Amino acid sequence: MCITEHWLSKYELAFYNLNNYILASNFCWENSKHGGSCIFVKSNIKTKPYTEFGYFNVEEHFECSMVELSQLKLIIACVYR
């Protein structure tokens, strides 16, 4: 599940627990209260962080969360802006 505009800090996002899902990747603003992106993945799917393009993230310009689903040989990207 990909979510954009979650408006949460990393601290606040950690409190969102969905049954049978894990927070696999996220981008949160540090200097504002809006924006952000995150990816929740079913807990039975193996994931690993995908950080190849993390350096592109710039608040208010480009926000992306990425995760690799190893078993499916798939990379998921949640992009805002």
Side-chain angles (χ1 to χ4, degrees), residues 3 13 20-21 27 38-39 45 57 61 67-68 78:
I3 300 172
L13 191 56
N20 300 318
Y21 285 85
F27 177 80
C38 65
I39 301 173
I45 298 175
N57 284 325
H61 297 287
V67 66
E68 183 177 346
C78 179

Side-chain angles (χ1 to χ4, degrees), residues 19-33:
N19 288 338
N20 300 318
Y21 285 85
I22 59 163
L23 177 61
S25 179
N26 68 78
F27 177 80
C28 300
W29 281 23
E30 294 180 10
N31 301 312
S32 184
K33 293 186 179 187

Side-chain angles (χ1 to χ4, degrees), residues 13-19 21 40:
L13 191 56
F15 286 102
Y16 283 81
N17 297 312
L18 304 173
N19 288 338
Y21 285 85
F40 285 91

Side-chain angles (χ1 to χ4, degrees), residues 34-51:
H34 298 255
S37 68
C38 65
I39 301 173
F40 285 91
V41 177
K42 283 206 164 202
S43 56
N44 64 337
I45 298 175
K46 290 183 182 178
T47 65
K48 60 182 179 178
Y50 192 81
T51 57

